Amino acid sequence: MQRSIINQSPLAPFVYVLLFIAYESLSSIYLFLPPLFAILFVFFINAVKKEDGVEIFLISLCLLVYESQMGFPVFSSIIYFGMIYKFVMPKLKKNFDCRSCIKVASVILSYFGFYLFLVLVSNIFLIPMPSINYYMLYYIVIEFFIVSIL
C-alpha cells in the first residue's frame, strides 16, 4: 500500500526519539555527554506554541525516558515544564527583550528550577531529596551553546 501524495507526514520525529533514547543511555554512562534537558525544554515550548500534539507527545516520551534514567518521579518534568511555560515564561518575555537573555534564563530555569521543583516535591511527598550534581554547571554551559544555535 502506498502513501498518498497529499498526506506526506514525515517519520523523522520518531527516528529522533529513538536516537534520543540511545543518546540518553550513552549520557548516563559517559558523564561528559549532557542529558539535553534544556534542549527538550526549548522543544517543549516550541511544540506548545505550535499546538502540535504529536510533537508534544514525543517530547513527553523523551522526558519520561530522562526521568527514568535519572530516577526522578514520573511526570515531574512534564508538570514542571507546563508550569514554567504557563506562569514564568510570559513574565520573562515581558521583562526581557533580548533573545539571548531569554535563552540563558530558559537553560538555567530548566536545570536549577527543576532541581528546586524536585526538592519541593520530595518535601511534600516525603521521598528522598535529589542530590545536586556538580556536572550540572558543565551541562548548563554546553546546552546553552546548543540552545543558542537553535
PDB file of all heavy atoms in Angstrom, residues 31 66 70 72 108 110-119 122 128-140:
ATOM      1  N   LEU A  31      29.641  10.648  31.547  1.00  0.00           N
ATOM      2  CA  LEU A  31      29.132  11.863  32.179  1.00  0.00           C
ATOM      3  C   LEU A  31      29.497  13.141  31.446  1.00  0.00           C
ATOM      4  O   LEU A  31      28.925  14.188  31.729  1.00  0.00           O
ATOM      5  CB  LEU A  31      29.631  11.940  33.622  1.00  0.00           C
ATOM      6  CG  LEU A  31      29.095  10.855  34.548  1.00  0.00           C
ATOM      7  CD1 LEU A  31      29.684  11.010  35.941  1.00  0.00           C
ATOM      8  CD2 LEU A  31      27.591  10.891  34.603  1.00  0.00           C
ATOM      9  N   TYR A  66      14.134  10.371  30.208  1.00  0.00           N
ATOM     10  CA  TYR A  66      15.097  11.111  31.031  1.00  0.00           C
ATOM     11  C   TYR A  66      14.822  10.898  32.522  1.00  0.00           C
ATOM     12  O   TYR A  66      15.743  10.667  33.300  1.00  0.00           O
ATOM     13  CB  TYR A  66      15.028  12.604  30.681  1.00  0.00           C
ATOM     14  CG  TYR A  66      15.855  13.478  31.583  1.00  0.00           C
ATOM     15  CD1 TYR A  66      17.227  13.554  31.428  1.00  0.00           C
ATOM     16  CD2 TYR A  66      15.265  14.221  32.602  1.00  0.00           C
ATOM     17  CE1 TYR A  66      17.992  14.352  32.254  1.00  0.00           C
ATOM     18  CE2 TYR A  66      16.012  15.018  33.428  1.00  0.00           C
ATOM     19  CZ  TYR A  66      17.385  15.076  33.250  1.00  0.00           C
ATOM     20  OH  TYR A  66      18.140  15.851  34.080  1.00  0.00           O
ATOM     21  N   MET A  70      17.332   9.075  35.329  1.00  0.00           N
ATOM     22  CA  MET A  70      17.836   9.812  36.477  1.00  0.00           C
ATOM     23  C   MET A  70      17.184   9.407  37.801  1.00  0.00           C
ATOM     24  O   MET A  70      17.639   9.821  38.860  1.00  0.00           O
ATOM     25  CB  MET A  70      17.640  11.322  36.262  1.00  0.00           C
ATOM     26  CG  MET A  70      18.377  11.862  35.096  1.00  0.00           C
ATOM     27  SD  MET A  70      20.141  11.677  35.352  1.00  0.00           S
ATOM     28  CE  MET A  70      20.766  12.414  33.888  1.00  0.00           C
ATOM     29  N   PHE A  72      13.992  10.168  38.754  1.00  0.00           N
ATOM     30  CA  PHE A  72      13.085  11.203  39.222  1.00  0.00           C
ATOM     31  C   PHE A  72      11.654  10.675  39.228  1.00  0.00           C
ATOM     32  O   PHE A  72      11.347   9.693  38.558  1.00  0.00           O
ATOM     33  CB  PHE A  72      13.170  12.447  38.336  1.00  0.00           C
ATOM     34  CG  PHE A  72      14.512  13.118  38.342  1.00  0.00           C
ATOM     35  CD1 PHE A  72      15.014  13.692  37.191  1.00  0.00           C
ATOM     36  CD2 PHE A  72      15.279  13.182  39.489  1.00  0.00           C
ATOM     37  CE1 PHE A  72      16.237  14.317  37.184  1.00  0.00           C
ATOM     38  CE2 PHE A  72      16.508  13.802  39.496  1.00  0.00           C
ATOM     39  CZ  PHE A  72      16.989  14.372  38.344  1.00  0.00           C
ATOM     40  N   ILE A 108      18.913  27.973  32.446  1.00  0.00           N
ATOM     41  CA  ILE A 108      19.085  27.971  33.906  1.00  0.00           C
ATOM     42  C   ILE A 108      17.821  27.505  34.603  1.00  0.00           C
ATOM     43  O   ILE A 108      17.877  26.730  35.565  1.00  0.00           O
ATOM     44  CB  ILE A 108      19.535  29.364  34.383  1.00  0.00           C
ATOM     45  CG1 ILE A 108      20.960  29.636  33.881  1.00  0.00           C
ATOM     46  CG2 ILE A 108      19.469  29.481  35.895  1.00  0.00           C
ATOM     47  CD1 ILE A 108      21.442  31.033  34.127  1.00  0.00           C
ATOM     48  N   SER A 110      15.632  25.490  33.406  1.00  0.00           N
ATOM     49  CA  SER A 110      15.401  24.074  33.177  1.00  0.00           C
ATOM     50  C   SER A 110      16.192  23.208  34.150  1.00  0.00           C
ATOM     51  O   SER A 110      15.693  22.175  34.595  1.00  0.00           O
ATOM     52  CB  SER A 110      15.720  23.698  31.739  1.00  0.00           C
ATOM     53  OG  SER A 110      17.080  23.879  31.472  1.00  0.00           O
ATOM     54  N   TYR A 111      17.394  23.606  34.511  1.00  0.00           N
ATOM     55  CA  TYR A 111      18.187  22.787  35.423  1.00  0.00           C
ATOM     56  C   TYR A 111      17.963  23.147  36.893  1.00  0.00           C
ATOM     57  O   TYR A 111      17.523  22.309  37.680  1.00  0.00           O
ATOM     58  CB  TYR A 111      19.677  22.891  35.088  1.00  0.00           C
ATOM     59  CG  TYR A 111      20.071  21.941  33.994  1.00  0.00           C
ATOM     60  CD1 TYR A 111      20.279  22.385  32.707  1.00  0.00           C
ATOM     61  CD2 TYR A 111      20.217  20.588  34.251  1.00  0.00           C
ATOM     62  CE1 TYR A 111      20.631  21.518  31.706  1.00  0.00           C
ATOM     63  CE2 TYR A 111      20.570  19.707  33.261  1.00  0.00           C
ATOM     64  CZ  TYR A 111      20.777  20.174  31.986  1.00  0.00           C
ATOM     65  OH  TYR A 111      21.111  19.316  30.998  1.00  0.00           O
ATOM     66  N   PHE A 112      18.273  24.401  37.268  1.00  0.00           N
ATOM     67  CA  PHE A 112      18.153  24.772  38.680  1.00  0.00           C
ATOM     68  C   PHE A 112      16.699  24.827  39.135  1.00  0.00           C
ATOM     69  O   PHE A 112      16.385  24.432  40.261  1.00  0.00           O
ATOM     70  CB  PHE A 112      18.843  26.112  38.947  1.00  0.00           C
ATOM     71  CG  PHE A 112      20.334  26.020  38.919  1.00  0.00           C
ATOM     72  CD1 PHE A 112      21.061  26.835  38.073  1.00  0.00           C
ATOM     73  CD2 PHE A 112      21.004  25.132  39.724  1.00  0.00           C
ATOM     74  CE1 PHE A 112      22.435  26.764  38.037  1.00  0.00           C
ATOM     75  CE2 PHE A 112      22.378  25.039  39.696  1.00  0.00           C
ATOM     76  CZ  PHE A 112      23.102  25.854  38.843  1.00  0.00           C
ATOM     77  N   GLY A 113      15.829  25.305  38.279  1.00  0.00           N
ATOM     78  CA  GLY A 113      14.415  25.341  38.632  1.00  0.00           C
ATOM     79  C   GLY A 113      13.837  23.949  38.810  1.00  0.00           C
ATOM     80  O   GLY A 113      13.043  23.708  39.719  1.00  0.00           O
ATOM     81  N   PHE A 114      14.234  23.029  37.940  1.00  0.00           N
ATOM     82  CA  PHE A 114      13.746  21.655  38.073  1.00  0.00           C
ATOM     83  C   PHE A 114      14.285  21.007  39.343  1.00  0.00           C
ATOM     84  O   PHE A 114      13.578  20.257  40.015  1.00  0.00           O
ATOM     85  CB  PHE A 114      14.124  20.826  36.850  1.00  0.00           C
ATOM     86  CG  PHE A 114      13.554  19.447  36.848  1.00  0.00           C
ATOM     87  CD1 PHE A 114      12.183  19.248  36.859  1.00  0.00           C
ATOM     88  CD2 PHE A 114      14.373  18.342  36.832  1.00  0.00           C
ATOM     89  CE1 PHE A 114      11.643  17.969  36.859  1.00  0.00           C
ATOM     90  CE2 PHE A 114      13.853  17.073  36.823  1.00  0.00           C
ATOM     91  CZ  PHE A 114      12.483  16.878  36.841  1.00  0.00           C
ATOM     92  N   TYR A 115      15.537  21.315  39.693  1.00  0.00           N
ATOM     93  CA  TYR A 115      16.081  20.797  40.951  1.00  0.00           C
ATOM     94  C   TYR A 115      15.288  21.330  42.139  1.00  0.00           C
ATOM     95  O   TYR A 115      14.929  20.558  43.046  1.00  0.00           O
ATOM     96  CB  TYR A 115      17.561  21.165  41.083  1.00  0.00           C
ATOM     97  CG  TYR A 115      18.129  20.788  42.418  1.00  0.00           C
ATOM     98  CD1 TYR A 115      18.411  19.462  42.718  1.00  0.00           C
ATOM     99  CD2 TYR A 115      18.354  21.744  43.397  1.00  0.00           C
ATOM    100  CE1 TYR A 115      18.916  19.105  43.949  1.00  0.00           C
ATOM    101  CE2 TYR A 115      18.866  21.400  44.628  1.00  0.00           C
ATOM    102  CZ  TYR A 115      19.147  20.073  44.900  1.00  0.00           C
ATOM    103  OH  TYR A 115      19.633  19.727  46.123  1.00  0.00           O
ATOM    104  N   LEU A 116      14.982  22.626  42.140  1.00  0.00           N
ATOM    105  CA  LEU A 116      14.188  23.193  43.238  1.00  0.00           C
ATOM    106  C   LEU A 116      12.775  22.625  43.252  1.00  0.00           C
ATOM    107  O   LEU A 116      12.204  22.392  44.325  1.00  0.00           O
ATOM    108  CB  LEU A 116      14.154  24.713  43.125  1.00  0.00           C
ATOM    109  CG  LEU A 116      15.487  25.417  43.339  1.00  0.00           C
ATOM    110  CD1 LEU A 116      15.339  26.899  43.069  1.00  0.00           C
ATOM    111  CD2 LEU A 116      16.021  25.153  44.729  1.00  0.00           C
ATOM    112  N   PHE A 117      12.215  22.364  42.085  1.00  0.00           N
ATOM    113  CA  PHE A 117      10.902  21.733  41.997  1.00  0.00           C
ATOM    114  C   PHE A 117      10.942  20.331  42.579  1.00  0.00           C
ATOM    115  O   PHE A 117      10.019  19.915  43.300  1.00  0.00           O
ATOM    116  CB  PHE A 117      10.444  21.701  40.535  1.00  0.00           C
ATOM    117  CG  PHE A 117       9.120  21.042  40.329  1.00  0.00           C
ATOM    118  CD1 PHE A 117       7.940  21.670  40.703  1.00  0.00           C
ATOM    119  CD2 PHE A 117       9.050  19.776  39.763  1.00  0.00           C
ATOM    120  CE1 PHE A 117       6.712  21.057  40.521  1.00  0.00           C
ATOM    121  CE2 PHE A 117       7.836  19.158  39.558  1.00  0.00           C
ATOM    122  CZ  PHE A 117       6.666  19.794  39.945  1.00  0.00           C
ATOM    123  N   LEU A 118      12.020  19.577  42.310  1.00  0.00           N
ATOM    124  CA  LEU A 118      12.142  18.227  42.867  1.00  0.00           C
ATOM    125  C   LEU A 118      12.327  18.254  44.377  1.00  0.00           C
ATOM    126  O   LEU A 118      11.836  17.375  45.080  1.00  0.00           O
ATOM    127  CB  LEU A 118      13.305  17.490  42.209  1.00  0.00           C
ATOM    128  CG  LEU A 118      13.076  17.033  40.782  1.00  0.00           C
ATOM    129  CD1 LEU A 118      14.329  16.365  40.241  1.00  0.00           C
ATOM    130  CD2 LEU A 118      11.897  16.085  40.701  1.00  0.00           C
ATOM    131  N   VAL A 119      13.021  19.274  44.885  1.00  0.00           N
ATOM    132  CA  VAL A 119      13.155  19.422  46.338  1.00  0.00           C
ATOM    133  C   VAL A 119      11.780  19.678  46.957  1.00  0.00           C
ATOM    134  O   VAL A 119      11.434  19.094  47.987  1.00  0.00           O
ATOM    135  CB  VAL A 119      14.153  20.555  46.681  1.00  0.00           C
ATOM    136  CG1 VAL A 119      14.088  20.931  48.143  1.00  0.00           C
ATOM    137  CG2 VAL A 119      15.561  20.145  46.293  1.00  0.00           C
ATOM    138  N   SER A 122       9.804  16.435  46.829  1.00  0.00           N
ATOM    139  CA  SER A 122      10.300  15.468  47.813  1.00  0.00           C
ATOM    140  C   SER A 122       9.886  15.853  49.234  1.00  0.00           C
ATOM    141  O   SER A 122       9.637  14.978  50.059  1.00  0.00           O
ATOM    142  CB  SER A 122      11.815  15.346  47.722  1.00  0.00           C
ATOM    143  OG  SER A 122      12.436  16.544  48.126  1.00  0.00           O
ATOM    144  N   PRO A 128      12.967  10.675  49.149  1.00  0.00           N
ATOM    145  CA  PRO A 128      14.346  11.172  49.291  1.00  0.00           C
ATOM    146  C   PRO A 128      14.628  12.359  48.378  1.00  0.00           C
ATOM    147  O   PRO A 128      14.193  12.384  47.225  1.00  0.00           O
ATOM    148  CB  PRO A 128      15.207   9.975  48.889  1.00  0.00           C
ATOM    149  CG  PRO A 128      14.328   8.798  48.987  1.00  0.00           C
ATOM    150  CD  PRO A 128      12.926   9.266  48.803  1.00  0.00           C
ATOM    151  N   MET A 129      15.361  13.313  48.918  1.00  0.00           N
ATOM    152  CA  MET A 129      15.685  14.519  48.152  1.00  0.00           C
ATOM    153  C   MET A 129      16.723  14.190  47.081  1.00  0.00           C
ATOM    154  O   MET A 129      17.615  13.371  47.314  1.00  0.00           O
ATOM    155  CB  MET A 129      16.229  15.605  49.072  1.00  0.00           C
ATOM    156  CG  MET A 129      15.170  16.221  49.953  1.00  0.00           C
ATOM    157  SD  MET A 129      15.789  17.536  50.989  1.00  0.00           S
ATOM    158  CE  MET A 129      16.432  18.657  49.810  1.00  0.00           C
ATOM    159  N   PRO A 130      16.611  14.820  45.919  1.00  0.00           N
ATOM    160  CA  PRO A 130      17.622  14.582  44.873  1.00  0.00           C
ATOM    161  C   PRO A 130      18.934  15.240  45.260  1.00  0.00           C
ATOM    162  O   PRO A 130      18.963  16.266  45.930  1.00  0.00           O
ATOM    163  CB  PRO A 130      17.010  15.242  43.636  1.00  0.00           C
ATOM    164  CG  PRO A 130      16.115  16.289  44.185  1.00  0.00           C
ATOM    165  CD  PRO A 130      15.582  15.748  45.483  1.00  0.00           C
ATOM    166  N   SER A 131      20.012  14.615  44.832  1.00  0.00           N
ATOM    167  CA  SER A 131      21.317  15.206  45.119  1.00  0.00           C
ATOM    168  C   SER A 131      21.724  16.095  43.952  1.00  0.00           C
ATOM    169  O   SER A 131      21.406  15.815  42.801  1.00  0.00           O
ATOM    170  CB  SER A 131      22.360  14.111  45.332  1.00  0.00           C
ATOM    171  OG  SER A 131      22.482  13.337  44.160  1.00  0.00           O
ATOM    172  N   ILE A 132      22.408  17.170  44.275  1.00  0.00           N
ATOM    173  CA  ILE A 132      22.863  18.083  43.224  1.00  0.00           C
ATOM    174  C   ILE A 132      24.178  17.545  42.678  1.00  0.00           C
ATOM    175  O   ILE A 132      25.016  17.039  43.415  1.00  0.00           O
ATOM    176  CB  ILE A 132      22.990  19.524  43.745  1.00  0.00           C
ATOM    177  CG1 ILE A 132      23.149  20.480  42.590  1.00  0.00           C
ATOM    178  CG2 ILE A 132      24.126  19.665  44.722  1.00  0.00           C
ATOM    179  CD1 ILE A 132      22.828  21.900  42.945  1.00  0.00           C
ATOM    180  N   ASN A 133      24.315  17.638  41.385  1.00  0.00           N
ATOM    181  CA  ASN A 133      25.487  17.130  40.705  1.00  0.00           C
ATOM    182  C   ASN A 133      26.326  18.306  40.228  1.00  0.00           C
ATOM    183  O   ASN A 133      25.800  19.264  39.667  1.00  0.00           O
ATOM    184  CB  ASN A 133      25.027  16.274  39.521  1.00  0.00           C
ATOM    185  CG  ASN A 133      26.133  15.464  38.925  1.00  0.00           C
ATOM    186  OD1 ASN A 133      27.288  15.614  39.282  1.00  0.00           O
ATOM    187  ND2 ASN A 133      25.770  14.597  38.002  1.00  0.00           N
ATOM    188  N   TYR A 134      27.630  18.219  40.427  1.00  0.00           N
ATOM    189  CA  TYR A 134      28.495  19.321  40.017  1.00  0.00           C
ATOM    190  C   TYR A 134      28.684  19.371  38.509  1.00  0.00           C
ATOM    191  O   TYR A 134      29.156  20.365  37.982  1.00  0.00           O
ATOM    192  CB  TYR A 134      29.842  19.235  40.727  1.00  0.00           C
ATOM    193  CG  TYR A 134      29.696  19.462  42.197  1.00  0.00           C
ATOM    194  CD1 TYR A 134      29.893  18.433  43.103  1.00  0.00           C
ATOM    195  CD2 TYR A 134      29.331  20.707  42.684  1.00  0.00           C
ATOM    196  CE1 TYR A 134      29.735  18.644  44.452  1.00  0.00           C
ATOM    197  CE2 TYR A 134      29.168  20.933  44.032  1.00  0.00           C
ATOM    198  CZ  TYR A 134      29.380  19.884  44.913  1.00  0.00           C
ATOM    199  OH  TYR A 134      29.224  20.091  46.239  1.00  0.00           O
ATOM    200  N   TYR A 135      28.287  18.326  37.830  1.00  0.00           N
ATOM    201  CA  TYR A 135      28.310  18.353  36.374  1.00  0.00           C
ATOM    202  C   TYR A 135      27.225  19.265  35.818  1.00  0.00           C
ATOM    203  O   TYR A 135      27.226  19.586  34.637  1.00  0.00           O
ATOM    204  CB  TYR A 135      28.106  16.949  35.800  1.00  0.00           C
ATOM    205  CG  TYR A 135      29.326  16.071  35.882  1.00  0.00           C
ATOM    206  CD1 TYR A 135      29.428  15.073  36.842  1.00  0.00           C
ATOM    207  CD2 TYR A 135      30.369  16.245  34.995  1.00  0.00           C
ATOM    208  CE1 TYR A 135      30.538  14.274  36.921  1.00  0.00           C
ATOM    209  CE2 TYR A 135      31.494  15.448  35.062  1.00  0.00           C
ATOM    210  CZ  TYR A 135      31.569  14.463  36.026  1.00  0.00           C
ATOM    211  OH  TYR A 135      32.676  13.675  36.102  1.00  0.00           O
ATOM    212  N   MET A 136      26.298  19.671  36.666  1.00  0.00           N
ATOM    213  CA  MET A 136      25.186  20.497  36.215  1.00  0.00           C
ATOM    214  C   MET A 136      25.676  21.813  35.605  1.00  0.00           C
ATOM    215  O   MET A 136      25.126  22.264  34.598  1.00  0.00           O
ATOM    216  CB  MET A 136      24.224  20.780  37.369  1.00  0.00           C
ATOM    217  CG  MET A 136      22.900  21.348  36.947  1.00  0.00           C
ATOM    218  SD  MET A 136      21.782  21.714  38.294  1.00  0.00           S
ATOM    219  CE  MET A 136      21.665  20.190  39.160  1.00  0.00           C
ATOM    220  N   LEU A 137      26.697  22.416  36.172  1.00  0.00           N
ATOM    221  CA  LEU A 137      27.239  23.656  35.608  1.00  0.00           C
ATOM    222  C   LEU A 137      27.839  23.407  34.225  1.00  0.00           C
ATOM    223  O   LEU A 137      27.660  24.212  33.304  1.00  0.00           O
ATOM    224  CB  LEU A 137      28.289  24.250  36.542  1.00  0.00           C
ATOM    225  CG  LEU A 137      27.767  24.726  37.892  1.00  0.00           C
ATOM    226  CD1 LEU A 137      28.917  25.155  38.773  1.00  0.00           C
ATOM    227  CD2 LEU A 137      26.793  25.850  37.697  1.00  0.00           C
ATOM    228  N   TYR A 138      28.518  22.291  34.073  1.00  0.00           N
ATOM    229  CA  TYR A 138      29.064  21.911  32.771  1.00  0.00           C
ATOM    230  C   TYR A 138      27.939  21.702  31.765  1.00  0.00           C
ATOM    231  O   TYR A 138      28.019  22.164  30.621  1.00  0.00           O
ATOM    232  CB  TYR A 138      29.906  20.639  32.937  1.00  0.00           C
ATOM    233  CG  TYR A 138      30.297  19.974  31.654  1.00  0.00           C
ATOM    234  CD1 TYR A 138      31.255  20.528  30.814  1.00  0.00           C
ATOM    235  CD2 TYR A 138      29.716  18.772  31.277  1.00  0.00           C
ATOM    236  CE1 TYR A 138      31.619  19.906  29.636  1.00  0.00           C
ATOM    237  CE2 TYR A 138      30.068  18.141  30.110  1.00  0.00           C
ATOM    238  CZ  TYR A 138      31.023  18.712  29.293  1.00  0.00           C
ATOM    239  OH  TYR A 138      31.368  18.092  28.134  1.00  0.00           O
ATOM    240  N   TYR A 139      26.876  21.031  32.195  1.00  0.00           N
ATOM    241  CA  TYR A 139      25.737  20.783  31.299  1.00  0.00           C
ATOM    242  C   TYR A 139      25.049  22.085  30.902  1.00  0.00           C
ATOM    243  O   TYR A 139      24.627  22.241  29.758  1.00  0.00           O
ATOM    244  CB  TYR A 139      24.718  19.865  31.967  1.00  0.00           C
ATOM    245  CG  TYR A 139      25.211  18.471  32.258  1.00  0.00           C
ATOM    246  CD1 TYR A 139      24.650  17.719  33.277  1.00  0.00           C
ATOM    247  CD2 TYR A 139      26.236  17.892  31.527  1.00  0.00           C
ATOM    248  CE1 TYR A 139      25.087  16.438  33.552  1.00  0.00           C
ATOM    249  CE2 TYR A 139      26.686  16.623  31.802  1.00  0.00           C
ATOM    250  CZ  TYR A 139      26.105  15.895  32.811  1.00  0.00           C
ATOM    251  OH  TYR A 139      26.539  14.636  33.075  1.00  0.00           O
ATOM    252  N   ILE A 140      24.954  23.024  31.845  1.00  0.00           N
ATOM    253  CA  ILE A 140      24.328  24.313  31.544  1.00  0.00           C
ATOM    254  C   ILE A 140      25.127  25.057  30.478  1.00  0.00           C
ATOM    255  O   ILE A 140      24.556  25.605  29.534  1.00  0.00           O
ATOM    256  CB  ILE A 140      24.169  25.156  32.823  1.00  0.00           C
ATOM    257  CG1 ILE A 140      23.053  24.578  33.688  1.00  0.00           C
ATOM    258  CG2 ILE A 140      23.882  26.610  32.496  1.00  0.00           C
ATOM    259  CD1 ILE A 140      22.943  25.213  35.043  1.00  0.00           C
TER     260      ILE A 140
END
